[in-house]
mmCIF file of all heavy atoms in Angstrom:
data_model
loop_
_atom_site.group_PDB
_atom_site.id
_atom_site.type_symbol
_atom_site.label_atom_id
_atom_site.label_comp_id
_atom_site.label_asym_id
_atom_site.label_seq_id
_atom_site.Cartn_x
_atom_site.Cartn_y
_atom_site.Cartn_z
ATOM 1 N N ASP P 1 17.905 -26.194 -10.279
ATOM 2 C CA ASP P 1 16.964 -27.220 -9.806
ATOM 3 C C ASP P 1 15.899 -26.696 -8.852
ATOM 4 O O ASP P 1 15.250 -27.478 -8.166
ATOM 5 C CB ASP P 1 17.715 -28.387 -9.144
ATOM 6 C CG ASP P 1 18.635 -29.097 -10.129
ATOM 7 O OD1 ASP P 1 18.247 -29.218 -11.317
ATOM 8 O OD2 ASP P 1 19.731 -29.503 -9.720
ATOM 9 N N CYS P 2 15.712 -25.389 -8.774
ATOM 10 C CA CYS P 2 14.630 -24.810 -7.977
ATOM 11 C C CYS P 2 13.605 -24.204 -8.931
ATOM 12 O O CYS P 2 13.965 -23.679 -9.984
ATOM 13 C CB CYS P 2 15.157 -23.724 -7.038
ATOM 14 S SG CYS P 2 16.274 -24.346 -5.778
ATOM 15 N N GLN P 3 12.325 -24.283 -8.547
ATOM 16 C CA GLN P 3 11.250 -23.745 -9.366
ATOM 17 C C GLN P 3 10.808 -22.399 -8.807
ATOM 18 O O GLN P 3 10.528 -22.292 -7.615
ATOM 19 C CB GLN P 3 10.063 -24.704 -9.368
ATOM 20 C CG GLN P 3 10.406 -26.068 -9.935
ATOM 21 C CD GLN P 3 9.237 -27.008 -9.809
ATOM 22 O OE1 GLN P 3 8.269 -26.892 -10.537
ATOM 23 N NE2 GLN P 3 9.324 -27.921 -8.856
ATOM 24 N N PHE P 4 10.730 -21.384 -9.697
ATOM 25 C CA PHE P 4 10.382 -20.040 -9.276
ATOM 26 C C PHE P 4 9.222 -19.485 -10.093
ATOM 27 O O PHE P 4 9.067 -19.811 -11.268
ATOM 28 C CB PHE P 4 11.577 -19.104 -9.444
ATOM 29 C CG PHE P 4 12.757 -19.431 -8.586
ATOM 30 C CD1 PHE P 4 13.838 -20.119 -9.104
ATOM 31 C CD2 PHE P 4 12.785 -19.056 -7.249
ATOM 32 C CE1 PHE P 4 14.929 -20.430 -8.315
ATOM 33 C CE2 PHE P 4 13.881 -19.364 -6.452
ATOM 34 C CZ PHE P 4 14.946 -20.053 -6.988
ATOM 35 N N ILE P 5 8.462 -18.639 -9.448
ATOM 36 C CA ILE P 5 7.433 -17.845 -10.094
ATOM 37 C C ILE P 5 7.711 -16.393 -9.736
ATOM 38 O O ILE P 5 8.016 -16.084 -8.585
ATOM 39 C CB ILE P 5 6.020 -18.237 -9.611
ATOM 40 C CG1 ILE P 5 5.679 -19.656 -10.062
ATOM 41 C CG2 ILE P 5 4.975 -17.247 -10.127
ATOM 42 C CD1 ILE P 5 4.376 -20.185 -9.502
ATOM 43 N N CYS P 6 7.635 -15.512 -10.727
ATOM 44 C CA CYS P 6 7.715 -14.080 -10.427
ATOM 45 C C CYS P 6 6.391 -13.446 -10.814
ATOM 46 O O CYS P 6 5.674 -13.946 -11.679
ATOM 47 C CB CYS P 6 8.897 -13.403 -11.130
ATOM 48 S SG CYS P 6 8.854 -13.421 -12.920
ATOM 49 N N SER P 7 6.068 -12.355 -10.143
ATOM 50 C CA SER P 7 4.780 -11.700 -10.378
ATOM 51 C C SER P 7 4.951 -10.195 -10.312
ATOM 52 O O SER P 7 5.745 -9.676 -9.541
ATOM 53 C CB SER P 7 3.761 -12.165 -9.332
ATOM 54 O OG SER P 7 4.235 -11.917 -8.022
ATOM 55 N N GLY P 8 4.176 -9.509 -11.137
ATOM 56 C CA GLY P 8 4.156 -8.054 -11.143
ATOM 57 C C GLY P 8 2.751 -7.574 -10.854
ATOM 58 O O GLY P 8 1.781 -8.147 -11.356
ATOM 59 N N SER P 9 2.627 -6.520 -10.054
ATOM 60 C CA SER P 9 1.311 -6.117 -9.576
ATOM 61 C C SER P 9 1.120 -4.613 -9.639
ATOM 62 O O SER P 9 2.088 -3.839 -9.696
ATOM 63 C CB SER P 9 1.149 -6.591 -8.123
ATOM 64 O OG SER P 9 -0.013 -6.049 -7.538
ATOM 65 N N GLU P 10 -0.138 -4.200 -9.577
ATOM 66 C CA GLU P 10 -0.429 -2.770 -9.503
ATOM 67 C C GLU P 10 -0.192 -2.221 -8.097
ATOM 68 O O GLU P 10 -0.370 -1.042 -7.857
ATOM 69 C CB GLU P 10 -1.841 -2.466 -9.991
ATOM 70 C CG GLU P 10 -2.961 -2.823 -9.073
ATOM 71 C CD GLU P 10 -4.317 -2.411 -9.629
ATOM 72 O OE1 GLU P 10 -4.471 -2.261 -10.838
ATOM 73 O OE2 GLU P 10 -5.226 -2.256 -8.808
ATOM 74 N N ASP P 11 0.247 -3.092 -7.162
ATOM 75 C CA ASP P 11 0.655 -2.576 -5.846
ATOM 76 C C ASP P 11 2.101 -2.049 -5.892
ATOM 77 O O ASP P 11 2.710 -1.803 -4.855
ATOM 78 C CB ASP P 11 0.482 -3.633 -4.750
ATOM 79 C CG ASP P 11 1.421 -4.834 -4.907
ATOM 80 O OD1 ASP P 11 2.309 -4.813 -5.785
ATOM 81 O OD2 ASP P 11 1.258 -5.804 -4.153
ATOM 82 N N ASN P 12 2.637 -1.891 -7.125
ATOM 83 C CA ASN P 12 3.968 -1.313 -7.371
ATOM 84 C C ASN P 12 5.115 -2.218 -6.940
ATOM 85 O O ASN P 12 6.217 -1.734 -6.679
ATOM 86 C CB ASN P 12 4.122 0.060 -6.708
ATOM 87 C CG ASN P 12 3.065 1.049 -7.155
ATOM 88 O OD1 ASN P 12 2.387 0.823 -8.156
ATOM 89 N ND2 ASN P 12 2.921 2.129 -6.429
ATOM 90 N N THR P 13 4.872 -3.515 -6.856
ATOM 91 C CA THR P 13 5.942 -4.433 -6.478
ATOM 92 C C THR P 13 6.098 -5.550 -7.505
ATOM 93 O O THR P 13 5.165 -5.895 -8.226
ATOM 94 C CB THR P 13 5.703 -5.094 -5.103
ATOM 95 O OG1 THR P 13 4.549 -5.938 -5.182
ATOM 96 C CG2 THR P 13 5.530 -4.061 -4.017
ATOM 97 N N VAL P 14 7.310 -6.086 -7.537
ATOM 98 C CA VAL P 14 7.608 -7.338 -8.219
ATOM 99 C C VAL P 14 8.010 -8.303 -7.124
ATOM 100 O O VAL P 14 8.794 -7.965 -6.239
ATOM 101 C CB VAL P 14 8.750 -7.164 -9.238
ATOM 102 C CG1 VAL P 14 9.260 -8.506 -9.722
ATOM 103 C CG2 VAL P 14 8.285 -6.321 -10.403
ATOM 104 N N ARG P 15 7.460 -9.503 -7.168
ATOM 105 C CA ARG P 15 7.773 -10.511 -6.160
ATOM 106 C C ARG P 15 8.258 -11.780 -6.825
ATOM 107 O O ARG P 15 7.820 -12.124 -7.919
ATOM 108 C CB ARG P 15 6.555 -10.804 -5.286
ATOM 109 C CG ARG P 15 6.115 -9.586 -4.497
ATOM 110 C CD ARG P 15 4.842 -9.850 -3.690
ATOM 111 N NE ARG P 15 4.347 -8.604 -3.123
ATOM 112 C CZ ARG P 15 4.513 -8.240 -1.865
ATOM 113 N NH1 ARG P 15 5.163 -9.025 -1.031
ATOM 114 N NH2 ARG P 15 4.037 -7.099 -1.432
ATOM 115 N N VAL P 16 9.186 -12.453 -6.145
ATOM 116 C CA VAL P 16 9.700 -13.737 -6.615
ATOM 117 C C VAL P 16 9.323 -14.777 -5.579
ATOM 118 O O VAL P 16 9.502 -14.567 -4.383
ATOM 119 C CB VAL P 16 11.237 -13.708 -6.799
ATOM 120 C CG1 VAL P 16 11.738 -15.060 -7.276
ATOM 121 C CG2 VAL P 16 11.625 -12.618 -7.785
ATOM 122 N N TRP P 17 8.814 -15.886 -6.060
ATOM 123 C CA TRP P 17 8.340 -16.961 -5.188
ATOM 124 C C TRP P 17 9.096 -18.239 -5.503
ATOM 125 O O TRP P 17 9.218 -18.623 -6.656
ATOM 126 C CB TRP P 17 6.853 -17.222 -5.418
ATOM 127 C CG TRP P 17 6.009 -16.002 -5.536
ATOM 128 C CD1 TRP P 17 5.817 -15.246 -6.665
ATOM 129 C CD2 TRP P 17 5.254 -15.379 -4.513
ATOM 130 N NE1 TRP P 17 4.973 -14.207 -6.386
ATOM 131 C CE2 TRP P 17 4.608 -14.264 -5.083
ATOM 132 C CE3 TRP P 17 5.047 -15.661 -3.160
ATOM 133 C CZ2 TRP P 17 3.775 -13.433 -4.358
ATOM 134 C CZ3 TRP P 17 4.207 -14.832 -2.438
ATOM 135 C CH2 TRP P 17 3.589 -13.732 -3.027
ATOM 136 N N ASP P 18 9.619 -18.884 -4.478
ATOM 137 C CA ASP P 18 10.136 -20.236 -4.606
ATOM 138 C C ASP P 18 8.927 -21.139 -4.401
ATOM 139 O O ASP P 18 8.230 -21.025 -3.394
ATOM 140 C CB ASP P 18 11.206 -20.500 -3.554
ATOM 141 C CG ASP P 18 11.808 -21.884 -3.676
ATOM 142 O OD1 ASP P 18 11.043 -22.870 -3.735
ATOM 143 O OD2 ASP P 18 13.041 -21.988 -3.691
ATOM 144 N N VAL P 19 8.659 -22.013 -5.352
ATOM 145 C CA VAL P 19 7.454 -22.834 -5.295
ATOM 146 C C VAL P 19 7.406 -23.662 -4.013
ATOM 147 O O VAL P 19 6.342 -23.878 -3.443
ATOM 148 C CB VAL P 19 7.364 -23.736 -6.542
ATOM 149 C CG1 VAL P 19 6.243 -24.740 -6.417
ATOM 150 C CG2 VAL P 19 7.168 -22.877 -7.787
ATOM 151 N N ASP P 20 8.565 -24.097 -3.532
ATOM 152 C CA ASP P 20 8.595 -24.941 -2.342
ATOM 153 C C ASP P 20 8.600 -24.152 -1.037
ATOM 154 O O ASP P 20 7.990 -24.563 -0.058
ATOM 155 C CB ASP P 20 9.824 -25.855 -2.373
ATOM 156 C CG ASP P 20 9.739 -26.842 -3.527
ATOM 157 O OD1 ASP P 20 8.637 -27.361 -3.777
ATOM 158 O OD2 ASP P 20 10.766 -27.070 -4.184
ATOM 159 N N THR P 21 9.279 -23.018 -1.018
ATOM 160 C CA THR P 21 9.431 -22.291 0.253
ATOM 161 C C THR P 21 8.663 -20.982 0.297
ATOM 162 O O THR P 21 8.858 -20.183 1.201
ATOM 163 C CB THR P 21 10.918 -21.992 0.529
ATOM 164 O OG1 THR P 21 11.422 -21.133 -0.501
ATOM 165 C CG2 THR P 21 11.722 -23.267 0.598
ATOM 166 N N LYS P 22 7.819 -20.748 -0.696
ATOM 167 C CA LYS P 22 7.010 -19.529 -0.797
ATOM 168 C C LYS P 22 7.862 -18.320 -1.161
ATOM 169 O O LYS P 22 8.945 -18.454 -1.690
ATOM 170 C CB LYS P 22 6.225 -19.308 0.489
ATOM 171 C CG LYS P 22 5.385 -20.526 0.869
ATOM 172 C CD LYS P 22 4.052 -20.119 1.342
ATOM 173 C CE LYS P 22 3.267 -21.378 1.673
ATOM 174 N NZ LYS P 22 1.947 -21.092 2.059
ATOM 175 N N GLN P 23 7.386 -17.109 -0.871
ATOM 176 C CA GLN P 23 8.041 -15.892 -1.339
ATOM 177 C C GLN P 23 9.460 -15.768 -0.806
ATOM 178 O O GLN P 23 9.725 -16.053 0.348
ATOM 179 C CB GLN P 23 7.238 -14.670 -0.899
ATOM 180 C CG GLN P 23 7.842 -13.366 -1.368
ATOM 181 C CD GLN P 23 6.996 -12.189 -0.954
ATOM 182 O OE1 GLN P 23 5.801 -12.314 -0.805
ATOM 183 N NE2 GLN P 23 7.620 -11.043 -0.772
ATOM 184 N N ILE P 24 10.373 -15.341 -1.680
ATOM 185 C CA ILE P 24 11.738 -15.122 -1.221
ATOM 186 C C ILE P 24 12.188 -13.675 -1.362
ATOM 187 O O ILE P 24 13.125 -13.266 -0.716
ATOM 188 C CB ILE P 24 12.749 -16.032 -1.939
ATOM 189 C CG1 ILE P 24 12.759 -15.762 -3.436
ATOM 190 C CG2 ILE P 24 12.467 -17.484 -1.647
ATOM 191 C CD1 ILE P 24 13.939 -16.389 -4.139
ATOM 192 N N GLN P 25 11.518 -12.879 -2.229
ATOM 193 C CA GLN P 25 11.997 -11.526 -2.448
ATOM 194 C C GLN P 25 10.889 -10.617 -2.971
ATOM 195 O O GLN P 25 10.042 -11.049 -3.735
ATOM 196 C CB GLN P 25 13.128 -11.564 -3.473
ATOM 197 C CG GLN P 25 14.042 -10.373 -3.464
ATOM 198 C CD GLN P 25 14.769 -10.224 -2.142
ATOM 199 O OE1 GLN P 25 14.350 -9.447 -1.303
ATOM 200 N NE2 GLN P 25 15.835 -10.968 -1.948
ATOM 201 N N SER P 26 10.938 -9.365 -2.545
ATOM 202 C CA SER P 26 10.051 -8.325 -3.071
ATOM 203 C C SER P 26 10.896 -7.147 -3.511
ATOM 204 O O SER P 26 11.859 -6.783 -2.842
ATOM 205 C CB SER P 26 9.071 -7.839 -1.997
ATOM 206 O OG SER P 26 8.193 -8.857 -1.628
ATOM 207 N N PHE P 27 10.517 -6.558 -4.637
ATOM 208 C CA PHE P 27 11.209 -5.386 -5.148
ATOM 209 C C PHE P 27 10.215 -4.244 -5.275
ATOM 210 O O PHE P 27 9.154 -4.399 -5.880
ATOM 211 C CB PHE P 27 11.854 -5.673 -6.507
ATOM 212 C CG PHE P 27 12.893 -6.750 -6.444
ATOM 213 C CD1 PHE P 27 12.599 -8.040 -6.836
ATOM 214 C CD2 PHE P 27 14.160 -6.471 -5.975
ATOM 215 C CE1 PHE P 27 13.555 -9.031 -6.775
ATOM 216 C CE2 PHE P 27 15.124 -7.460 -5.906
ATOM 217 C CZ PHE P 27 14.820 -8.743 -6.302
ATOM 218 N N TYR P 28 10.573 -3.112 -4.687
ATOM 219 C CA TYR P 28 9.715 -1.940 -4.701
ATOM 220 C C TYR P 28 10.293 -0.905 -5.653
ATOM 221 O O TYR P 28 11.343 -1.106 -6.232
ATOM 222 C CB TYR P 28 9.590 -1.371 -3.279
ATOM 223 C CG TYR P 28 8.985 -2.363 -2.318
ATOM 224 C CD1 TYR P 28 9.791 -3.261 -1.625
ATOM 225 C CD2 TYR P 28 7.614 -2.440 -2.139
ATOM 226 C CE1 TYR P 28 9.242 -4.203 -0.770
ATOM 227 C CE2 TYR P 28 7.056 -3.371 -1.280
ATOM 228 C CZ TYR P 28 7.880 -4.247 -0.595
ATOM 229 O OH TYR P 28 7.334 -5.182 0.255
ATOM 230 N N GLY P 29 9.631 0.194 -5.803
ATOM 231 C CA GLY P 29 10.126 1.249 -6.679
ATOM 232 C C GLY P 29 9.512 1.203 -8.056
ATOM 233 O O GLY P 29 9.932 1.909 -8.958
ATOM 234 N N HIS P 30 8.518 0.352 -8.238
ATOM 235 C CA HIS P 30 7.802 0.298 -9.504
ATOM 236 C C HIS P 30 6.621 1.254 -9.405
ATOM 237 O O HIS P 30 5.685 1.011 -8.652
ATOM 238 C CB HIS P 30 7.296 -1.116 -9.775
ATOM 239 C CG HIS P 30 8.382 -2.092 -10.001
ATOM 240 N ND1 HIS P 30 9.137 -2.594 -8.979
ATOM 241 C CD2 HIS P 30 8.860 -2.646 -11.132
ATOM 242 C CE1 HIS P 30 10.015 -3.436 -9.478
ATOM 243 N NE2 HIS P 30 9.877 -3.483 -10.780
ATOM 244 N N SER P 31 6.679 2.322 -10.159
ATOM 245 C CA SER P 31 5.595 3.282 -10.095
ATOM 246 C C SER P 31 5.216 3.662 -11.518
ATOM 247 O O SER P 31 6.089 3.992 -12.313
ATOM 248 C CB SER P 31 6.047 4.513 -9.309
ATOM 249 O OG SER P 31 5.031 5.469 -9.262
ATOM 250 N N PRO P 32 3.962 3.585 -11.880
ATOM 251 C CA PRO P 32 2.838 3.251 -11.029
ATOM 252 C C PRO P 32 2.556 1.757 -10.929
ATOM 253 O O PRO P 32 2.058 1.289 -9.928
ATOM 254 C CB PRO P 32 1.664 3.969 -11.706
ATOM 255 C CG PRO P 32 2.023 3.981 -13.156
ATOM 256 C CD PRO P 32 3.527 4.078 -13.197
ATOM 257 N N ILE P 33 2.827 0.971 -11.983
ATOM 258 C CA ILE P 33 2.437 -0.439 -11.981
ATOM 259 C C ILE P 33 3.566 -1.288 -12.562
ATOM 260 O O ILE P 33 4.173 -0.926 -13.574
ATOM 261 C CB ILE P 33 1.157 -0.668 -12.825
ATOM 262 C CG1 ILE P 33 -0.046 0.036 -12.203
ATOM 263 C CG2 ILE P 33 0.867 -2.143 -12.995
ATOM 264 C CD1 ILE P 33 -1.288 -0.014 -13.070
ATOM 265 N N ALA P 34 3.856 -2.423 -11.921
ATOM 266 C CA ALA P 34 4.754 -3.425 -12.507
ATOM 267 C C ALA P 34 3.901 -4.259 -13.461
ATOM 268 O O ALA P 34 3.230 -5.197 -13.056
ATOM 269 C CB ALA P 34 5.369 -4.289 -11.413
#
């Protein structure tokens, strides 16, 4: 029952966002681009 958005970026991170509470997690180690 929670809404999430995940995003991948050329800043080498993947981020997960809870729509209501904003970002909840970042994952590093993506090289060169997620």
